[in-house]
Structure formats: C-alpha cells, structure tokens
C-alpha cells in the first residue's frame, strides 16, 4: 500500500519533491526536479488512505492509462508514471502561467476575445477527440495556454478513451464531472460522446461573455437535472449588445439534444473563426427562454429525452468532416462541373459534412492591386457571387456551406494555409490537362496534393 | 519480452499459419497455447504437430474441451462437434494422442494464469461470457492476469480491489495497459473459428516490459480452410461459418 508522501526533499524514482503547489480532494500536485533534466515538471499524487473515495483511485488509474497515450501541443507532455503496487504518481510537463480560472474576476470579457479563446479550446478538443479521448471535464481551471498560443487541456481523470476499458463507467453509476459544465447526457451516465465537450465549451463561452453561468452553480443532482429540460436565458436577454452570430454559436453548443449541437469541435472552431459566415437561425434572435409548454414536454416525455445508442467516437468524427473545394474560374467549365459532381458524390454519403468553397483572387507581386476591375466591379464580391452560383446546384443548407475568396500571390500556399487554419479534412481541387505552362511551372494542384496535411482529391475533366 | 497467445485453433491450418507468421514478424519470442487445437477444422494432425513442435521449443500449452474429448467420449459436445471429434480420432497418431492426454488444465506462470475456460472449475469448461462468470473465475485465482479462450469472442474483464467489475470489448491493434492493483481476465478471440462477426483469425500479444496486451487480427485464406472442411465430408455449416466469422 502507498506510504504517505508529504516531505519536500524526498526523492522518488529519481524525482525530487520540491514544493507542494496544490492540495485537492483527490490528489496533490508537487513541483519536482530530476537530475540532468532542466524541464519544469509536476508530479500528481493521488490521495490514498483510509476513507479515500474509491472514485479518486479509479480516476487516477484512468489518467495513468490515458496520459501516456496522448501527444501533441494540446496536452501536457507525459514524463513518467509510478506503479500502484509501490507509490502511484504521474509526472508531466509543468506549464508556465495560470489557467483560464485566473480570468474569472475579469468576466465578462469582450466578445471577440472570448471567440478567440473559444477557437483555441475547440481546436484543442478536436485534436483530443482525434486521439480517441472525450475529456468530460472541460472548465476554466483545466485549460492553460502555451506561449505560442495553443490551448492545453489538463486533467484526464474523468476522461473516456475509446480504445481502453472505461473503469469509471462500470464502477460508478453516479455522473462525474463539474456541475456547471456537465452536459445533459453526462448526467444520464453517457461517457463516450465528444459533443459533451462541445456542450461544456458552450457553457464556458456563455459564462465568459455574460459573467453568468447558464445553468447556475447548483451541485445537487436535482438542481443539475433541470438542464435536461430547461434551456438557459439567451445571452441577448442579459446583454442587449450580444452579437447574434455569437449567440447562435453558444446556444447551438448548449442544445439539450447532442445531435442538435455542432457535430464536431472542428466545426465549432470553424464558426468561431468565421463570424461573418455563421448561419443565423432563430437561435440568434431569441430573447426569451423556451415557452413553458416546450419545457413541460421535455420534462415529461421521457422517450423524447432518453439517451439512445450512438456510434463510436471515431465514427462520429468520420461522418462530419470539413471538405474544402478549390474553384478556379480561369479553368474550364467542364472541370468545374466535374468538381461539382465529385463534391456531390462525397456529400451524399456524409450528411453532417460541411463544404467550404474557396477561390484565390491572385494578387500581383509588386503593384498594389485595385479592388475594382476595368468595368468597375468589385472583384472580391464578384468572386463570392460566382462561388455561390457554382455551389447552388448542390442545394446545401446554409449551415453546411461557406464561401471564401482569399487574396494571395501564390494560390497553392493560400489553399494550404486555409486548409490548415480551418481544420479541413479533405481538399478537392481540379487539375488542368498538361500544357507547356504547367510543365514549366508545376501545377497548383500538384503542390497542394504534395504538401497538404489532409487528404487531397485531384479532379480532372475527361478528355 | 513479447509473448503471443493463441486460443481455439480448431484444426484450422490456414488461420494458425497466418497468426504464427504475423506474431513472429511482430517479434514474438514465446508462445502460449490456450487449448482446443482440434475439432471443427480439417487439419488436426498438422495443427497438433505444429503445437507439439512449439511446446518442444519452450511454448506453454493447456488442455481444451475438444482436446479432452479425443480420449474421453464422455465430454459433452454438440452433435456437429462430436461428429468431427469422431473423425479426428482417426486422424491423430499415438504421439499426438499421448500429447493431448498429458496436457494440464491450467498453468501458473509467475503472476499469470493460463486456462481454456473459467478458472474456478476448469474441467467443467464453463464459458466466460459476462462479468458474472468473469468475477467467478477471477475470484478463484490470485494471479494478476488470467488468459483464457473457449468463447471465440475477444473480451477483457477487470476486477478492482473493491471487487467491482468492468467489461470491455477490445479494439484490434490498440494496446491496453494492465494496471497493477487490480485483476484482469483476457478472453481471446479464436484463431481457427472466430464468432464475433469478423472472419479474420484472432490472437493476442503481451508485452511483459510495458505490461500491455494487444488484441490482434489476421486476414487469412478462409476459403481454403472452408474447402478443406467440405472435402473431408465434415458438416458444411462448419465451413460456411468461417467465411462470415459466426
């Protein structure tokens, strides 16, 4: 069994305990150092002893299983783990600075600041979900930022890994999480839905923009359960100047039914970074909560609100990709028709996919380009109109379609950068048939296909 | 060290060869065989001879119910299985039959236990198909990890220090750490007759350094294995089911 571990200076498996920096109900956090290792490190030690909540031990076991499997900038780097047979611990990278919790006294924050923070968190969640993990405890104290700007998600003690046994699921029938941020389905014991993290991020966005928690702070099960049928006050009721696009995003995250929320964190990140393209539904105009009749229907119509079986985490991500199609108006109509046909085939199989139509408005390298062309048309707006016209036969709902005209010198680099920033999963791009020019300069599609970090489909019109 | 585990080979030469080849290519240094080398399939002599060869070179093997039925007509088997066993008796020579008779029901290997079915009553061949049976089996041993087969569907069970059970359907190729302080029961999928809807042959790899297990699958020439069953005049359902993994 574990022996108590309370004294600075103790050396454990090569790690020297320097100072205790946090003492929580479930674990202690120590700052530790190791010889020949200058990186700042933290050691998390679970509280084990008589009267310890078994949940604390199991939660620590889960974190020990999950953390070594995570990688990338959005998680603290895993260093070492100590066995339960001797002294259980986890050593990880210590991040500089404070968590988002430190911003609470400054709330509410400006809308654009919150959207920027929200984008970074959604981006980190997307990365985590792609690593098979649902966090299930997204809240300000579990979020930090690297000096380079990326959000880092902390604490995997309540998380679910799609490829590992979920020890929390079967051992404890009570919901675990942080009351104000917990999704309705989490309250019902569902632990494998990535949209639960989208909900928690919605709570955070609401809180940071209004200064109010959408579902209060009640910690009782009865108080928490109200969110199964009662929707929050629309932010515009609390703040008259609340931007409709932001209310649209926040209320969509907070939908009671997971299927009505953003299907993926990547799609949420996309909207947070393209406010002008957010489709404004009735959500964006709402000034009052749902009428009492709606609330009663939700409250007492059990089959409408009962959890239903759902696909695995990875399937959820796979059916809701962001697809970007690059349209070149200097190309032939045949090629653009072929691109539309390929797009249509792909979207038919993926009802939750989003399509971003991209056109690059080429800028001359040296001269300052004129916004107006010879006939006095605004080139940018003209291209937007033509993109919409290209997409019109696809008959996509507004929330599945966005159009983007990018002004750039190098079309391939512009498309690659757009794909990277917008977390695009699949690029469709047309290729012209061989010409002397293409042979000499290399095609845009060739460069995109060679350098993209996602799947690229190169489309050609048949000769 | 990497140890490869095989269960329920059931005289399926094509599947066994494919699993052995992949396990060796992935660096397996030891082999553990969890019983039912014969029955259902068309190549009992080849499969059993291969098993004996592995055991000669240091592999560990335990007895399965079909293996036991070769010498004990009293073993309870369904009609199809019994017919195949009757045919198998006429296929195995003296060394093979002596080998089966000498196999142990369980083997304790450090903190690991190897058994064909449930460990609380190994000679009654109880299927471990739910947390209830897994709890019974785990309560009967102090081994940290039990490996068994018999069910033909991969599953993983674990019991906490407070005797709470968790079950999990493993994902192919995803390593799972067997954390200490709790007991684990790994039920293997079948090499020679998978029944989880995936016709690919199943086995398991244990990395003793990392204390991680990985459930593995290998696609193999199931058509050839099925054709051999039909060619020997064995029940055709035993051939058909290989193609669908049922």
């Amino acid at each position: 069994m574990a022996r108590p571990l309370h004294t600075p200076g103790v050396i454990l498996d090569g790690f020297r305990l320097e100072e205790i920096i946090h003492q929580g109900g479930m674990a202690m956090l120590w700052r530790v150092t190791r010889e020949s290792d200058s990186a700042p490190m933290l050691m998390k030690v679970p509280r084990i002893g008589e009267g310890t909540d078994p949940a604390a031990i199991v939660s620590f076991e889960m974190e020990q299983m999950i953390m070594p499997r995570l990688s990338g900038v959005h998680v603290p780097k895993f260093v070492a783990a100590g066995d339960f047979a001797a002294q259980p611990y986890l050593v990880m990278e210590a991040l500089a600075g404070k968590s988002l919790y430190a911003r609470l006294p400054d709330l509410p924050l400006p809308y654009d600041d919150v959207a920027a923070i929200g984008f970074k968190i959604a981006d980190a969640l997307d990365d985590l979900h792609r690593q098979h993990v649902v966090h299930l405890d997204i809240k300000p104290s579990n979020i930090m930022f690297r000096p380079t700007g990326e959000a880092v998600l902390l604490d995997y003690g309540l998380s679910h890994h799609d490829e590992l046994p979920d020890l929390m699921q079967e051992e404890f029938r009570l919901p675990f999480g942080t009351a104000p941020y917990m999704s309705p389905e989490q309250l019902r014991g569902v632990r494998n839905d990535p949209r639960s993290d989208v909900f928690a991020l919605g709570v955070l966005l609401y809180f940071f923009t209004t200064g109010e928690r959408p579902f209060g702070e009640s910690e009782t099960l009865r108080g928490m359960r109200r969110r199964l049928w009662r929707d929050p006050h629309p932010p515009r009721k609390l703040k008259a100047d609340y931007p409709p696009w932001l209310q649209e995003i926040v209320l969509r995250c907070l939908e009671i039914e997971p299927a009505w929320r953003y299907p993926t964190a990547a799609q949420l990140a996309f909207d947070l970074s393209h406010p002008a393209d957010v489709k404004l539904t009735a959500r964006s105009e709402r000034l009052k909560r749902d009428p009492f009749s709606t609330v009663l229907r939700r409250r007492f119509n059990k089959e409408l609100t009962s959890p239903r079986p759902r696909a695995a985490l990875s399937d959820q991500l796979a059916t809701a990709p962001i697809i970007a199609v690059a349209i070149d108006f200097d190309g032939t109509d045949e090629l653009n028709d072929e691109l539309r046909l390929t797009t249509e085939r792909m979207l038919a199989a993926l009802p939750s996919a989003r399509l971003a139509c991209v056109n690059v408005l080429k800028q001359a390298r040296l001269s300052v380009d004129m916004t107006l062309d010879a006939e006095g048309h605004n080139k940018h707006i003209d291209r937007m109109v033509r993109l919409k016209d290209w997409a019109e036969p696809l008959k996509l709902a507004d929330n599945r379609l966005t159009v983007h005209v990018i002004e750039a010198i190098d079309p391939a680099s512009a498309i690659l950068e757009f794909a990277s920033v917008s977390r695009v999963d699949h690029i469709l791009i047309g290729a012209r048939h061989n010409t002397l020019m293409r042979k000499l300069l290399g095609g845009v599609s060739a460069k995109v296909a060679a350098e993209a970090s996602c799947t690229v489909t190169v489309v050609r019109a048949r000769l | 060290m990497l140890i490869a585990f095989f269960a329920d080979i059931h005289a399926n030469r094509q599947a066994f060869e494919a699993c052995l080849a992949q396990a060796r290519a992935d660096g397996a240094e030891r082999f553990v065989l969890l019983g039912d080398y014969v029955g259902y399939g068309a190549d009992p002599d080849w499969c059993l001879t291969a098993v004996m060869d592995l055991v000669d070179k240091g592999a560990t093997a335990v007895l399965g119910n079909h293996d036991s039925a070769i010498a004990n007509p009293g073993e309870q088997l369904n009609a199809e299985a019994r017919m195949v066993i009757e045919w198998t008796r006429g296929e195995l020579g003296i060394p093979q039959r002596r080998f089966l008779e000498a196999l142990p029901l369980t083997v304790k290997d450090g903190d690991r236990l190897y058994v064909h079915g449930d460990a609380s009553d190994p000679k009654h061949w109880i299927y471990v198909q739910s947390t209830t049976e897994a709890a019974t089996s785990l309560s009967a041993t102090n081994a940290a990890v039990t490996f068994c087969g018999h069910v033909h569907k991969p599953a993983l069970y674990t019991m906490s220090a407070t005797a709470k059970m968790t079950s999990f359907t493993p994902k192919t190729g995803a390593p799972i750490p067997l954390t200490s302080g709790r007991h684990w029961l790994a039920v293997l999928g079948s090499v020679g007759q998978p029944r989880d809807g995936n016709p690919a042959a199943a086995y398991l790899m244990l990395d003793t350094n990392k204390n991680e297990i990985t459930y593995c699958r290998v696609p193999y020439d199931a058509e050839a294995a099925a054709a051999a069953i039909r060619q020997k005049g064995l029940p055709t359902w035993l051939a058909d089911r290989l193609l669908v993994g049922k």
Side-chain angles (χ1 to χ4, degrees), chain B residues 6-87:
Chain B
F6 303 114
D8 301 284
I9 295 163
H10 283 299
N12 186 334
R13 174 179 179 163
Q14 290 78 3
F16 190 25
E17 278 181 323
C19 288
L20 272 173
Q22 182 169 299
R24 285 194 168 117
D26 287 345
E29 295 157 79
R30 257 196 72 194
F31 298 94
V32 175
L33 300 127
L34 296 172
D36 276 4
Y37 313 105
V38 300
Y40 297 134
D43 284 301
D45 188 50
W46 188 92
C47 287
L48 199 47
T49 307
V51 167
M52 289 161 69
D53 190 42
L54 288 173
V55 170
D56 265 353
K57 292 173 182 149
T60 307
V62 296
L63 183 75
N65 53 319
H66 288 248
D67 310 322
S68 169
I70 294 293
N72 303 299
E75 285 289 357
Q76 294 287 314
L77 289 174
N78 64 52
E80 281 165 338
R82 198 170 330 119
M83 180 197 160
V84 180
I85 288 301
E86 281 160 14
W87 168 79

Side-chain angles (χ1 to χ4, degrees), chain A residues 250-261:
Chain A
V250 169
L251 291 185
R252 190 164 171 206
C253 291
L254 295 180
E255 285 286 358
I256 297 167
E257 171 61 55
W260 295 7
R261 295 178 209 147

Side-chain angles (χ1 to χ4, degrees), chain B:
Chain B
M1 182 172 54
L2 289 176
I3 307 178
F5 288 74
F6 303 114
D8 301 284
I9 295 163
H10 283 299
N12 186 334
R13 174 179 179 163
Q14 290 78 3
F16 190 25
E17 278 181 323
C19 288
L20 272 173
Q22 182 169 299
R24 285 194 168 117
D26 287 345
E29 295 157 79
R30 257 196 72 194
F31 298 94
V32 175
L33 300 127
L34 296 172
D36 276 4
Y37 313 105
V38 300
Y40 297 134
D43 284 301
D45 188 50
W46 188 92
C47 287
L48 199 47
T49 307
V51 167
M52 289 161 69
D53 190 42
L54 288 173
V55 170
D56 265 353
K57 292 173 182 149
T60 307
V62 296
L63 183 75
N65 53 319
H66 288 248
D67 310 322
S68 169
I70 294 293
N72 303 299
E75 285 289 357
Q76 294 287 314
L77 289 174
N78 64 52
E80 281 165 338
R82 198 170 330 119
M83 180 197 160
V84 180
I85 288 301
E86 281 160 14
W87 168 79
T88 303
R89 285 194 192 106
E91 293 286 308
L92 302 178
I94 292 174
Q96 281 83 3
R97 284 180 286 132
R98 292 282 171 277
F99 174 79
L100 290 181
E101 280 166 28
L103 283 177
L105 282 168
T106 62
V107 170
K108 187 87 189 291
D109 179 7
D111 62 354
R112 298 188 291 268
L113 178 72
Y114 312 141
V115 60
H116 183 62
D118 145 77
S120 71
D121 190 4
K123 65 177 179 299
H124 281 97
W125 317 112
I126 297 159
Y127 291 95
V128 178
Q129 302 189 92
S130 72
T131 47
T132 314
E133 292 126 13
T136 309
S137 182
L138 281 169
S139 305
T141 172
N142 57 6
V145 192
T146 305
F147 293 88
C148 76
H150 197 34
V151 183
H152 295 218
K153 289 179 188 172
L156 180 63
Y157 299 93
T158 172
M159 184 189 260
S160 72
T162 53
K164 293 272 180 56
M165 294 296 298
T166 300
S167 68
F168 180 62
T169 305
K171 304 272 158 64
T172 301
I176 302 164
L178 302 178
T179 51
S180 56
R182 53 172 59 241
H183 292 268
W184 297 87
L185 171 58
V187 182
L188 273 74
S190 164
V191 171
Q193 197 196 69
R195 291 181 195 161
D196 61 344
N198 176 1
Y203 68 100
L204 180 146
M205 290 281 258
L206 166 70
D207 183 332
T208 56
N209 299 332
K210 295 182 183 165
N211 210 20
E212 281 180 355
I213 54 169
T214 306
Y215 286 79
C216 309
R217 296 309 276 259
V218 202
Y220 74 99
D221 192 352
E223 278 85 3
I229 289 174
R230 290 196 198 95
Q231 200 253 324
K232 301 280 182 196
L234 302 174
T236 53
W237 162 236
L238 297 179
D240 298 343
R241 68 189 305 177
L242 292 183
L243 306 179
V244 288
K246 284 275 161 63

Side-chain angles (χ1 to χ4, degrees), chain A residues 206-225:
Chain A
Y206 186 110
F207 184 30
F208 272 52
T209 44
T210 63
E212 306 269 340
R213 291 179 178 87
F215 304 99
E217 290 177 76
S218 177
E219 300 264 351
T220 67
L221 201 54
R222 192 158 163 253
M224 287 195 288
R225 282 179 61 83

